[in-house]
Amino acid sequence: MSVLAIAEHRRGELRPVSLEQLAAGRALADELGGELHTAVIGGDVEAFGSDLNREGVDIVHTVDIGEEFNHDVYTQAVTQLATELNPTVLLMPNSVNGLDYAPAVANRLGRPLVTDVVDIDAEDGLTATRELYGSKTETTIDVHAEQAAVTIRPAEWPTIEADGDATIEAFDATIDESAVKSTVKGFEEVGGGDIDITDADVLVSVGRGIEEEENLDIIHDLAEALDATVSGSRPLIDNGWLEKDRQVGQSGKVVTPDVYIAIGISGAVQHVAGMKGSDTIVAINTDPNAPIFDIADYGIQDDLFEVVPALIEQFQ
Amino acid sequence: MKILVTVKEVAAVDDEFEIDGLAIDDRYVTADLNEWDEYAVEEAVQIKEAHDDVEVVTVTIGPSETDETIRQALAKGADRAIRVWDDALADAGLLDPETKAEVLAAVAAEEDPDLVLTGVQSADDGFGATGVTLADKLDMEWGAVVNDLDLDLEAGVASVHRELEGGVEELTDIEIPAVLTIQTGINDPRYASLRGIRQAQSKELAEYSLVDVGLDAAEIESPLEQTSLYEPETEGEATVFEGSPEETAAELAELLAEKGVTS
């Protein structure tokens, strides 16, 4: 009745979700009355292994294979480790890389997979909580199986900071190189413009609610009036209306300005991941149920095309 | 060369809505082509336009009501479509990624594509796992969250960028045949032309049951059961400015001035 959580690292650093999984995993292991195992695959496994030795972890498994993430290698290694340990719940991050190997592992193990879980308990069988329809609703999912694979949404659990007294064990995975059919060639920073939005004290950030590219003029006017920098949510960048390096969110930049003014942004979880650390968050949106109001400090629930010009006037 | 594109009709929910049991009441729901799939269709059609002898086939799991959405993909340049549905699928409840991949794999086994493109996720249930599950079932290579694709058909390699978190992309070479899950922003999806819409009406849209694709109802039994649907409690403690746009703008301006935000 154990839990196994697979850590994630990139370019020499453990990602925070690795430690959040330990909180989720420890709670599950307590409910199941079993041990919490965690594993790190590739990179400096010795250093990662000792970093993963946090409170509540029983065993850290280190798998010394390769440097960076490769899904073919991860799929084989995690499948072998999970077969050996036979955990009741296999936890993986609901990250871009997590979603690049977790479904294959679940398929090979013949386990049901529940992804992007925001809450989970094992008190009366496994029940996972997920969001549907872009965070507008939540749903509970009962898993009718003895064992499951689960990916957890980053930043939903606290990270475990306290040191632990886990046993650290090396696990020898046997990688079939002929089944490795992808090669990671390197990484590239997303660029585009010459502005670093992570440096800005004030961000005027715009989302899908702006409707048309030409409507962006009022956003630029507002930014000028406030001596602020313009940033945006994913749809604006996808449409090519703003440069890629102005994107705020999970796949864009994480920003922490003094003031973040979210205009016509609904507040999808991927966006919120990039701006929730802002000192003061102001939201302007017509939809009073928009999730952005859940994290905003101040809000105006009205038409941005009326509010923004009125605001510009205030500063002229 | 054949490209199979998975196409799903998703439910877009109004700002205001009511829940009816385990679903949103129909009155507040609009059916649409899944946004991520729209980019996958466009990518396939662009590959077709850049190379000779490429056929683009779409596959959908869904009832006949989804035909209109499938025709959107045909109008944008897909050559023909396959739709799988029957009573067993209608009664199956929650179709989890494994179940969907099982059905799609059965179609893919028949079609034998060189490349399968799916959206990264669907806008409604958002599992984000069907594409990679499908790849593994087909014993194909894969790449998740692809936002740039350069195909070298002679070498049999897809050079992709995978969009990681935090403004970083991973550059990876993937052997084909492969399943690639396509991220929004990879291209600029076209609007269907009037001619395309007319042509779509006469393109083949084949309807299959589970038996037609070689499966029986027992193979699509999902171990996942949806047990509730509710609106999450809002944790918001925002101070909401009330009044006319001029009044709320004035209050906000005052706040911003207090915070030292002025030019």
Side-chain angles (χ1 to χ4, degrees):
Chain A
M1 301 292 266
S2 61
V3 176
L4 170 62
I6 309 297
E8 178 161 312
H9 59 88
R10 187 186 303 153
R11 301 164 101 179
E13 284 186 29
L14 275 185
R15 303 198 65 234
V17 68
S18 308
L19 304 175
E20 293 156 15
Q21 283 189 142
L22 302 182
R26 186 64 256 170
L28 275 176
D30 287 344
E31 286 166 358
L32 292 166
E35 290 183 328
L36 171 63
H37 298 239
T38 187
V40 61
I41 297 159
D44 185 351
V45 292
E46 209 164 301
F48 290 146
S50 74
D51 202 5
L52 285 165
N53 183 0
R54 306 276 173 128
E55 189 177 36
V57 178
D58 294 297
I59 302 178
V60 181
H61 303 268
T62 57
V63 188
D64 191 6
I65 295 174
E67 280 304 309
E68 287 295 343
F69 174 80
N70 173 293
H71 68 232
D72 295 309
V73 172
Y74 263 60
T75 300
Q76 292 187 48
V78 175
T79 303
Q80 285 171 30
L81 187 59
T83 302
E84 170 98 6
L85 298 174
N86 203 26
T88 307
V89 183
L90 171 61
L91 292 180
M92 293 165 280
N94 199 78
S95 58
V96 171
N97 282 345
L99 287 174
D100 199 35
Y101 74 92
V105 168
N107 185 54
R108 288 179 196 188
L109 295 172
R111 290 177 178 226
L113 173 68
V114 195
T115 61
D116 203 16
V117 160
V118 296
D119 198 6
I120 187 164
D121 76 71
E123 275 169 355
D124 182 22
L126 199 65
T127 301
T129 305
R130 303 183 73 247
E131 291 182 346
L132 279 182
Y133 309 109
S135 308
K136 284 188 172 172
T137 62
E138 279 188 358
T139 185
T140 47
I141 306 268
D142 283 359
V143 183
H144 301 294
E146 293 296 312
Q147 297 173 317
V150 171
T151 68
I152 69 164
R153 179 180 289 179
E156 288 292 322
W157 279 267
T159 55
I160 298 291
E161 299 296 341
D163 291 343
D165 53 3
T167 311
I168 299 186
E169 292 180 3
F171 178 80
D172 280 328
T174 313
I175 303 301
D176 173 7
E177 293 294 338
S178 70
V180 177
K181 295 177 176 172
S182 64
T183 313
V184 178
K185 305 291 230 185
F187 298 94
E188 204 171 271
E189 305 287 339
V190 168
D194 49 10
I195 295 282
D196 186 355
I197 58 169
T198 62
D199 271 351
D201 295 328
V202 183
L203 281 172
V204 172
S205 207
V206 59
R208 214 188 274 264
I210 198 70
E211 295 173 2
E212 304 281 345
E213 186 172 12
E214 50 265 35
N215 295 340
L216 275 175
D217 288 350
I218 56 168
I219 301 298
H220 290 296
D221 290 349
L222 177 64
E224 198 177 327
L226 299 178
D227 197 16
T229 302
V230 174
S231 59
S233 66
R234 171 163 210 115
L236 280 280
I237 282 77
D238 281 350
N239 285 343
W241 297 353
L242 289 176
E243 298 93 349
K244 270 188 167 183
D245 57 359
R246 295 204 186 227
Q247 184 184 339
V248 173
Q250 205 170 62
S251 52
K253 298 280 174 66
V254 174
V255 297
T256 51
D258 297 336
V259 178
Y260 187 88
I261 307 176
I263 302 175
I265 289 177
S266 66
V269 61
Q270 293 86 349
H271 182 78
V272 169
M275 47 65 79
K276 64 184 173 192
S278 306
D279 231 28
T280 300
I281 298 169
V282 179
I284 302 173
N285 201 305
T286 41
D287 175 10
N289 297 320
I292 192 77
F293 289 116
D294 291 344
I295 58 151
D297 300 295
Y298 299 91
I300 296 177
Q301 295 168 351
D302 208 340
D303 186 350
L304 74 90
F305 296 110
E306 294 192 36
V307 176
V308 174
L311 190 55
I312 294 169
E313 216 159 273
Q314 291 286 329
F315 285 97
Q316 283 171 343
Chain B
M1 178 189 187
K2 189 188 285 185
I3 306 174
L4 189 64
V5 188
T6 62
V7 168
K8 184 183 178 187
E9 180 178 283
V10 293
V13 177
D14 295 348
D15 288 344
E16 302 281 344
F17 61 89
E18 288 172 31
I19 290 169
D20 180 13
L22 293 175
I24 308 272
D25 190 301
D26 281 348
R27 286 175 295 166
Y28 308 99
V29 170
T30 316
D32 204 355
L33 172 60
N34 182 39
E35 186 180 1
W36 284 265
D37 297 350
E38 202 173 341
Y39 287 85
V41 168
E42 177 64 31
E43 197 62 20
V45 172
Q46 287 189 12
I47 294 168
K48 177 184 156 173
E49 288 167 347
H51 298 87
D52 293 330
D53 296 326
V54 177
E55 186 186 27
V56 177
V57 183
T58 68
V59 54
T60 301
I61 301 170
S64 58
E65 288 79 15
T66 60
D67 282 355
E68 204 179 314
T69 297
I70 297 169
R71 296 273 177 212
Q72 284 183 41
L74 292 171
K76 292 177 186 217
D79 296 297
R80 61 186 170 87
I82 294 165
R83 180 171 61 74
V84 186
W85 196 248
D86 62 10
D87 291 346
L89 278 162
D91 295 341
L94 177 67
L95 292 177
D96 70 326
E98 203 277 330
T99 309
K100 284 184 275 193
E102 191 73 29
V103 175
L104 296 170
V107 172
E110 191 62 33
E111 290 288 330
D112 193 23
D114 302 281
L115 197 60
V116 180
L117 302 182
T118 76
V120 163
Q121 65 182 70
S122 53
D124 46 11
D125 62 22
F127 274 103
T130 304
V132 174
T133 309
L134 173 63
D136 205 52
K137 282 187 185 296
L138 293 171
D139 201 17
M140 275 191 188
E141 189 50 27
W142 71 86
V145 194
V146 167
N147 71 347
D148 189 70
L149 167 62
D150 184 16
L151 265 186
D152 184 341
L153 293 177
E154 268 182 32
V157 173
S159 297
V160 307
H161 289 206
R162 295 181 55 240
E163 184 188 83
L164 305 180
E165 296 86 353
V168 178
E169 296 185 358
E170 179 200 276
L171 282 51
T172 302
D173 281 357
I174 293 170
E175 286 182 27
I176 50 178
V179 178
L180 304 178
T181 79
I182 301 296
Q183 175 65 301
T184 61
I186 188 174
N187 52 41
D188 188 9
R190 71 196 65 193
Y191 289 101
S193 64
L194 275 175
R195 185 161 160 264
I197 293 167
R198 263 202 310 275
Q199 284 176 340
Q201 295 305 319
S202 57
K203 287 182 179 173
E204 180 188 338
L205 199 171
E207 299 169 28
Y208 295 142
S209 67
L210 280 180
V211 174
D212 293 334
V213 298
L215 296 173
D216 62 48
E219 286 170 276
I220 57 139
E221 265 179 26
S222 171
L224 306 187
E225 184 193 0
Q226 187 188 344
T227 48
S228 71
L229 184 73
Y230 52 92
E231 284 187 68
E233 280 176 33
T234 56
E235 295 156 15
E237 289 171 9
T239 302
V240 176
F241 299 129
E242 307 278 352
S244 69
E246 289 71 27
E247 288 163 345
T248 56
E251 289 207 60
L252 177 54
E254 197 178 320
L255 170 83
L256 293 174
E258 272 171 32
K259 301 269 175 198
V261 181
T262 44
S263 53

